[in-house]
């Protein structure tokens, strides 16, 4: 039976105040080289984390510098996973959110991000057993791009709309709110090259406000960006997902994963270029550092602006989640809003924070 949130917090605080130890034996380097990193958890917790062996984190999309991706890659590079004695293997995803959810549900992977909280609910509808343990952005990250000549979204009826693997729920809700007959739109998978829009291969393109607009700007293309919140649609982004059974059996590992990535987020907020360089080292193809820095700066700024000052980054607000779930009901994705508490568990994140601050031993 998992401990109560109060006992989790008490143990986390006790562990954080323990004497720093040497990180030998808890290295997450593939070549077994030890890092000169101070451990910030006690001996028993370090041993328990190390005994889990290699834990797999699958990115949402390759090594892009998005929230819930860049801080994980940086936590590895900076030795923060070593500091909590976790061995994390980072595997690149290809943008298939439901495919990643299936991996976590099956126990093949341990951590993966989703684009928003709605995708946790959509995964649940597909019998993928995952839960959200942190939500970093509390505004929709999705946006819809059209040519500059589109003045009303109803003009898209009878046209072609491109998306990556599925139409994001906030965009579907926005189109519905705008009075668009979505069934009249031809939806196609268009990949991640936004040039399909100015080439008129699609007349609308689903994207991320931190990604495709920057790319089109760099191309010198003209477009119109439609934001869901301008139509009264709520949303979220940057959700970390885990398997609930595994998390219940290994709560301290989940806590310490969030502890290390939270520490990395703090570092990357002030050192974006350095953290993007960590991601570049993992990418074997050509890596656009300038674009990825823009992605990180856009998303981390949205996280900051949508997080109340008295709440930790990644906090879960079920009242907002319920509103977002309501959009799925409105567009027919769900028959009703399910019981949300089993699908979003804030206790792991809360256990490694005091108020809004991450608990780290050398902060004491």
């Amino acid at each position: 039976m998992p401990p109560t949130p109060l006992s989790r917090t008490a143990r986390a605080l006790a562990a954080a105040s323990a004497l720093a130890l040497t990180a030998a034996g808890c290295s997450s380097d593939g070549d077994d080289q030890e890092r000169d990193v101070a451990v910030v958890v006690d001996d028993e917790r370090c041993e328990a984390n190390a005994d889990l062996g290699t834990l797999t984190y699958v990115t949402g999309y390759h090594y892009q510098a998005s929230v819930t991706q860049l801080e994980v890659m940086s936590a590895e590079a900076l030795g923060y996973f070593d500091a909590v004695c976790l061995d994390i293997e980072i595997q690149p995803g290809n943008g298939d959110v439901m495919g990643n959810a299936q991996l976590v549900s099956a126990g093949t992977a341990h951590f993966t991000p989703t684009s928003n909280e709605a995708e946790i609910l959509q995964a649940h509808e597909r019998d993928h057993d995952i839960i959200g343990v942190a939500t970093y952005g509390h505004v929709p990250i999705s946006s819809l791009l059209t040519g500059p000549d589109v003045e009303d979204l109803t003009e898209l009826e009878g046209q072609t709309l491109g998306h990556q693997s599925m139409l994001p729920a906030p965009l579907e809700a926005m189109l519905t709110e705008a009075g668009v007959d979505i069934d009249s739109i031809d939806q196609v998978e268009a990949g991640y090259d936004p040039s399909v829009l100015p080439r008129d291969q699609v007349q609308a393109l689903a994207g991320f406000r931190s990604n495709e607009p920057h790319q089109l700007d760099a191309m010198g293309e003209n477009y119109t960006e439609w934001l869901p919140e301008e139509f009264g649609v709520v949303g979220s982004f940057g959700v970390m997902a885990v398997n609930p059974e595994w998390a219940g059996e290994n709560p301290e590992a989940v806590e310490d994963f969030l502890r290390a990535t939270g520490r990395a987020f703090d570092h990357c907020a002030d050192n974006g270029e350095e953290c993007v360089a960590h991601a570049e080292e993992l990418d074997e193809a050509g890596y656009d550092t300038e674009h990825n820095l823009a992605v990180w700066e856009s998303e981390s700024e949205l996280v900051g602006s949508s997080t109340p000052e008295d709440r930790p980054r990644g906090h879960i607000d079920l009242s907002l989640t319920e509103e977002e779930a309501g959009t799925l009901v409105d567009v027919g994705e769900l028959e009703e809003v399910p019981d949300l508490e089993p699908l979003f568990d804030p206790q792991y994140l809360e256990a490694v924070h005091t108020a809004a601050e991450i608990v780290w031993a050398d902060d004491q």
Side-chain angles (χ1 to χ4, degrees):
M1 188 75 179
T4 64
L6 181 59
S7 64
R8 289 179 189 278
T9 304
R11 286 202 325 280
L13 290 171
S17 62
L19 183 66
L21 306 170
T22 305
C26 297
S27 174
S28 58
D29 270 351
D31 59 4
D32 294 327
Q33 292 181 352
E34 295 177 5
R35 291 193 179 111
D36 184 16
V37 176
V39 170
V40 299
V41 293
D42 61 27
D43 286 319
E44 181 180 358
R45 189 163 178 143
C46 178
E47 183 177 0
N49 284 348
D51 284 347
L52 292 175
T54 301
L55 304 179
T56 301
Y57 163 84
V58 182
T59 71
Y61 183 68
H62 299 286
Y63 299 107
Q64 183 165 284
S66 296
V67 166
T68 63
Q69 292 199 170
L70 186 63
E71 64 267 42
V72 176
M73 294 181 280
S74 296
E76 168 66 15
L78 294 167
Y80 294 160
F81 288 133
D82 288 340
V84 294
C85 307
L86 288 176
D87 180 3
I88 303 297
E89 178 184 9
I90 298 172
Q91 294 183 358
N94 63 3
D96 184 357
V97 175
M98 292 302 147
N100 289 354
Q102 188 173 18
L103 292 176
V104 172
S105 178
T108 306
H110 300 87
F111 302 92
T112 195
T114 68
S115 301
N116 50 52
E117 291 183 331
E119 289 175 350
I120 298 289
L121 304 180
Q122 291 168 317
H124 180 67
E125 283 292 295
R126 292 164 171 77
D127 295 323
H128 302 326
D129 197 14
I130 64 171
I131 60 171
V133 293
T135 299
Y136 290 89
H138 297 278
V139 294
I141 193 65
S142 301
S143 66
L144 187 69
L145 307 177
T146 68
D149 56 324
V150 175
E151 297 181 354
D152 190 288
L153 289 175
T154 58
E155 296 173 33
L156 297 178
E157 294 177 353
Q159 303 294 314
T160 301
L161 184 155
H163 54 67
Q164 285 71 44
S165 62
M166 58 189 292
L167 182 63
L171 300 187
E172 188 171 1
M174 178 181 71
L175 291 170
T176 300
E177 186 66 27
V180 177
D181 178 5
I182 297 178
D183 290 338
S184 73
I185 296 176
D186 181 24
Q187 296 187 38
V188 299
E189 289 195 30
Y192 288 85
D193 179 4
S195 68
V196 295
L197 180 66
R199 293 202 305 264
D200 203 36
Q201 292 176 275
V202 299
Q203 289 70 56
L205 181 66
F208 297 93
R209 59 204 286 176
S210 58
N211 187 44
E212 285 83 359
H214 292 309
Q215 293 176 304
L216 290 173
D217 288 341
M219 297 174 191
E221 300 289 355
N222 295 320
Y223 61 92
T224 297
E225 183 176 21
W226 304 79
L227 301 177
E229 62 265 35
E230 295 175 352
F231 291 79
V233 176
V234 300
S236 58
F237 72 93
V239 180
M240 191 63 72
V242 301
N243 179 296
E245 182 178 358
W246 182 83
E249 294 170 351
N250 303 281
E252 292 179 341
V254 179
E255 293 169 6
D256 289 335
F257 181 88
L258 295 174
R259 186 199 307 277
T261 56
R263 179 73 162 183
F265 196 116
D266 289 343
H267 180 84
C268 294
D270 296 324
N271 301 277
E273 291 185 8
E274 175 194 340
C275 291
V276 169
H278 297 320
E280 183 179 14
E281 291 175 2
L282 295 174
D283 197 298
E284 296 179 357
Y287 195 79
D288 189 336
T289 55
E290 183 177 353
H291 171 70
N292 276 281
L293 181 59
V295 170
W296 169 253
E297 290 177 343
S298 297
E299 293 193 9
S300 58
E301 182 179 347
L302 283 172
V303 170
S305 63
S306 65
T307 302
E309 290 185 3
D310 61 342
R311 301 299 302 275
R313 262 193 310 264
H315 78 283
I316 294 171
D317 185 333
L318 288 183
S319 63
L320 294 178
T321 307
E322 185 172 12
E323 287 188 58
E324 186 169 349
T327 65
L328 294 178
V329 175
D330 293 340
V331 300
E333 287 272 337
L334 297 176
E335 291 185 3
E336 61 181 3
V337 176
D339 183 5
L340 297 175
E341 288 193 7
L343 301 178
F344 298 90
D345 195 342
Q347 61 181 319
Y348 304 102
L349 185 83
E350 292 172 353
V352 295
H353 283 83
T354 298
E357 299 299 322
I358 196 80
V359 175
W360 200 262
D362 60 15
D363 292 336
Q364 305 303 306

